[in-house]
Structure formats: structure tokens, C-alpha cells
Amino acid sequence: MPETAAAPPTPPVPLTALLAHEDLGLRQIAGPREPGAVIHMVHTSEMADPYPYLLGGELLLSAGVLLEDPDRYVSRIVAAGAAALGFGVTPVYDTVPAELVEACDRHGLPLLEVPPPTTFTAVARAVWRLMAEARHRELRRVTQAQQGLASAAARPDPVPAVLTQLASRVGGQAVLLAADGTELSTAGRAPSREARRALARLAGVVAPAGPPVPEAEGSARPAPSSASDTVDGIHLAAYALGGSQGLVLGLCAPGREPGDHTVAGVAVVLLSLLTAPHQGVDATGRSAALVRMLLGAGPAEAAPLLGAERWTVVHARGGRGTPFDASALGAALGSALVDPVGDGTVRILLPAGREVTAQPGWVLGASDPVAPADLGAADTRAARALHRAMATRSELVRHRGTSLAALLSPEEAATHARLRLAPLADSPALVETLRSWLSLHGSWDRTAAAMDVHRNTVRQRIGRCAALLDEDLDDADVRMELWFALRWL
């Protein structure tokens, strides 16, 4: 069955752990005593039929105020999927009704006796405390797994290392599969033959061969990103790897912990990066370009080795603070040419034909496509676009040229810019403040945010610019002339 990706749920509480709380004095008096029984939540109700208000997995607490037909009452609770029933002794009943005990035994519902000194609030509080402790343990386990997977990805043989680390974390087998189910690399304990065949079938679900299956007129149903099954008591899961030509990560594990899906998601990201083709920019070409530049070649000579004649520079800020955020962003945009800058900015080079799209959790600034010789200027324009995106709270800002620039040669435009802005030549801070202020339509607050200074500093600098240039910066014509000059400075 398809499996949707979601944040790991709060781990359920084993019923045995709640019964072990001696201060509560709970006692199971009916129903199965299976060690695997768990509680997902607590719900208190005195309704004669609480079925419509149960979601499943609850410990239902009741004092039996409206208990008239115990058999029907229990059957409805079981039909709703409740995990157990806690019956409070007094003030309605002095003891748990025998008919209720028999009904719980008959329908297979664990029945707990809640003694008079124990309040329902105390029971609920104990469950939440146990859940919080389990959540903390699970988050710690997931964090350790993430660190182990990241370390494995940095080894000389990263794909087998990641699979080995993942297999040890889930206590089973991790396997890299082709879309036809062929095992390309495995690690961990192999399951039964039937489980392996079922896992191969799951690989075909998440990475089907051929075109998408038609769902309705004019549309097609995409394959799910993950799927799961259970065979011979073994939990099976398959995850499609992004950008890897139909590769699938398969997992076989004897059990299923709440954080396993999150751990598998980390492995999927890492394996997607490690196995994805680099869109025509192979490792040999990148190495050759790097060697040439280290030996003195310019961008115009090295860039052709990377497979494109024109390039777009992207600057980005954001991510979730993980070690592989920058690489994941590069993979999402379709480029392996990623440079995480020390100040938190990520720079990416994209072939000009590849579209720059907004990415969740990131703020992006993109240059216009340029030839390799102009990459330095494009880098500056991408940085400015990023500052504008942050100031305007936009996900993506693209630098766009203006047709006025074509009216003058670059030499003439640069000469005009130097003369027009000569009074500011000795103060780069004034020049950059004026540039930001004009690009943000004279907004003091946005300029202050973009430059990370106080708004009063912006006002003082703009006032100084107006004095040195001897111009009225409220005049639209003056602003236009200055903006044109700043583009060539």
C-alpha cells in the first residue's frame, strides 16, 4: 500500500508501562494480556456510545455513568479501534460490573480497574509523561542515526557505507534496487525469499517502468514516493530515489519504530545525491575544470568542460542547519556545482537553460544568464537579488537587465557612471546604501533590513549622498539617472 511521508509520530505507550506505575494502582482484570498492546492517546467519556468520538488507539476512561448494555458498549469501543478501557470504581459502581468484565473478555478488549484514589487526570498525565519520555528517546535515536548516515556518506565507498549504517539502525536489511527489482547493493541480514520478492514488487510500485498510468482524461497518476507491505512478519518499505534513473531504496526490518520513516528519509536524500547523474556535468569534467583553473586558466577556458556555454549564478540562504543542506539544494535545482560560503550563503552555478525555481525553506537570488567571462559580475548581481529577496520577504528574486543598457556601449556607460557618482567614490558604504535604497523604492525599513543596519543609519547615509551629489533624491528623474549609473559602477 502507498505510504505518505510525514513527520514521525509521537511514540505510543506500551500498556505494560502504564500498568507498571505503582502509584496509579491500575490493574488489568479482563481482555488479552499481549505485551505488544500500546496506547496512542487518552480520552474520557461518559456517553452511552462514545464510538463517534474515538479515533482509534485510545485508552478510554469511564465511570460507567450511562452504562446500560455492557456488551454493546464494549463492541462499539472495539469497533472504533480503542486500545483499552479504564473503568473507574466509585462513585457510580463499587466494583467493576461482572457483565463488563465478561464483555471485554469476549470482545478481546483490555479492561483496567482504576481504584478510587486514582483520578482520571492522573492516569492521563502518566500517559503523557511516558509519551514525552518515549519521544525524547526516539528523537535521540533519530539524531544519532542521522549523524551516522552523514558520516557514512563521507567515506570512500559511500553507497555501501550508507546502506550498512541504515541496516544496523533498523535492525534488518537495506538494499539498493533497480526499478525491475534487481539488487544492486545490499547490507544487513537477508530476509526470506518471499520477502525479497515482495520488496522487488514494491520497487516496481514506486519506480514503475513505462509511462504514467492514465487516471482521468488529460491527466496521469504519478507513482507514490514510497510504499510498504508486511510479509512473514517482516516489515517492508520501498523509497524512490530522486534523480537516479529509477533507483529504489528497499528496507526489510522485523519491527517498525516511529522514527524509522524519518531515518529512511535521511538515507533517501543522501543516496539520491550519491547516485544521481549530474545532468551532464560528470566528475571527470569537474575535475578537469578545477585542475585547469588551479593551473592558471580563466573561466572562459574551464567552463566548456562543465557542459554549458552560459551560466546562471544563484545565491541562497536558509535550509534546516543540516550538514548536507547545500548539496540537497543543488540536487533540487539540478546542479552539483555548489559552494557553501562561510557566512551562511550557498552559491550554485546552473547551466543557463535550467530554470531556477523557489525551494521550500530557502530564499534565492538569481542572476541573468551570462558567458563564463562575466561570471564575476553575475555573482554580484545574484548577491544583490538575494538581498532584495530577503528585504521583500520573497522566496525568489531574479535579476533582470533593462533595455536602456543597450543604448550605450559598456565603456561609455562605465565612464558616465564614474563621473556621475564621483562625489561618492571614496565611500563604498554610501554607494551600497544608495543602491539598496533605490532598488527598494526608497523604503528605509527594507533597506535597513537588507543591509543589516539601523534605519537611522540609512537615513543619515542617504542624506549624506544627497548632499555630496547636490541632488534632490525625491526627484524621480534623479533617481532613474542614479540607478542607471549604479548599474555600471
Side-chain angles (χ1 to χ4, degrees):
M1 59 177 291
E3 182 178 281
T4 57
T10 298
V13 172
L15 184 58
T16 53
L18 184 62
L19 290 170
H21 262 259
E22 296 182 358
D23 57 324
L24 295 177
L26 302 179
R27 187 168 61 96
Q28 184 173 350
I29 58 176
R33 288 168 168 79
E34 300 175 357
V38 296
I39 300 169
H40 290 269
M41 64 191 79
V42 178
H43 181 68
T44 301
S45 174
E46 296 299 342
M47 300 187 67
D49 181 13
Y51 176 93
Y53 303 96
L54 299 179
L55 299 175
E58 297 94 345
L59 167 61
L60 176 63
L61 299 175
S62 173
V65 174
L66 298 178
L67 181 64
E68 297 178 354
D69 185 346
D71 188 78
R72 182 179 184 279
Y73 180 76
V74 173
S75 67
R76 293 286 286 171
I77 294 174
V78 171
L85 172 63
F87 194 86
V89 178
T90 68
V92 182
Y93 291 89
D94 294 331
T95 61
V96 180
E99 295 85 352
L100 183 63
V101 175
E102 294 171 359
C104 287
D105 278 329
R106 187 163 46 252
H107 292 283
L109 179 69
L111 174 61
L112 310 185
E113 180 187 67
V114 184
T118 302
T119 64
F120 287 174
T121 301
V123 175
R125 185 177 299 166
V127 171
W128 303 140
R129 186 180 299 113
L130 288 169
M131 284 185 173
E133 293 171 356
R135 178 70 167 175
H136 178 72
R137 289 194 300 269
E138 192 64 19
L139 288 176
R140 183 169 55 192
R141 186 181 76 88
V142 169
T143 299
Q144 292 171 347
Q146 290 175 333
Q147 294 170 347
L149 290 169
S151 298
R155 294 175 184 173
D157 52 347
V159 172
V162 169
L163 292 176
T164 300
Q165 182 68 212
L166 180 59
S168 68
R169 295 294 176 177
V170 299
Q173 185 187 48
V175 54
L176 185 64
L177 302 164
D180 61 1
T182 302
E183 296 183 357
L184 304 178
S185 181
T186 64
R189 296 173 296 179
S192 66
R193 179 177 298 180
E194 183 57 34
R196 294 171 66 182
R197 289 175 179 171
L199 187 61
R201 290 193 294 270
L202 286 181
V205 172
V206 299
V213 178
E215 183 176 34
E217 184 176 354
S219 66
R221 183 173 68 251
S225 60
S226 64
S228 63
D229 197 0
T230 301
V231 174
D232 295 335
I234 301 297
H235 182 84
L236 309 176
Y239 302 85
L241 301 189
S244 56
Q245 298 179 329
L247 295 185
V248 175
L249 169 64
L251 289 179
C252 306
R256 177 74 166 172
E257 297 297 329
D260 285 349
H261 192 56
T262 302
V263 173
V266 174
V268 167
V269 173
L270 290 172
L271 291 171
S272 297
L273 295 173
L274 294 170
T275 61
H278 294 302
Q279 310 292 335
V281 184
D282 58 24
T284 302
R286 293 197 306 274
S287 298
L290 175 61
V291 169
R292 289 198 185 184
M293 295 195 72
L294 289 174
L295 295 179
E301 182 181 345
L305 297 172
L306 301 176
E309 296 182 358
R310 294 176 65 79
W311 297 86
T312 298
V313 181
V314 177
H315 281 217
R317 278 183 175 268
R320 293 172 294 179
T322 61
F324 42 86
D325 274 351
S327 297
L329 176 62
L333 293 176
S335 175
L337 304 176
V338 179
D339 174 27
V341 185
D343 64 354
T345 302
V346 176
R347 300 190 301 178
I348 301 174
L349 278 181
L350 292 177
R354 194 156 297 139
E355 182 182 3
V356 181
T357 57
Q359 300 296 322
W362 292 91
V363 179
L364 306 179
S367 75
D368 47 327
V370 300
D374 298 323
L375 283 172
D379 183 51
T380 301
R381 293 197 286 272
R384 292 172 182 167
L386 175 61
H387 283 306
R388 181 173 177 81
M390 295 176 66
T392 58
R393 298 181 180 179
S394 303
E395 292 182 336
L396 169 64
V397 168
R398 295 180 176 88
H399 173 85
R400 301 188 184 279
T402 62
S403 58
L404 290 176
L407 301 178
L408 295 175
S409 68
E411 294 78 12
E412 292 174 324
T415 299
H416 168 75
R418 286 193 297 270
L419 293 175
R420 189 73 175 82
L421 300 171
L424 308 181
D426 294 332
S427 180
L430 292 181
V431 172
E432 286 307 310
T433 303
L434 180 61
R435 189 194 310 277
S436 294
W437 185 72
L438 290 174
S439 72
L440 296 170
H441 309 292
S443 170
W444 308 110
D445 292 330
R446 290 183 177 181
T447 304
M451 301 193 68
D452 196 22
V453 297
H454 195 276
R455 66 195 307 273
N456 289 342
T457 301
V458 176
R459 287 182 176 274
Q460 293 169 0
R461 290 180 181 177
I462 295 302
R464 182 63 176 161
C465 289
L468 291 174
L469 294 170
D470 193 21
E471 295 283 6
D472 180 8
L473 298 187
D474 289 330
D475 189 310
D477 289 335
V478 172
R479 291 193 185 194
M480 180 188 68
E481 291 178 9
L482 292 175
W483 178 246
F484 182 84
L486 285 165
R487 291 191 66 247
W488 294 98
L489 189 62

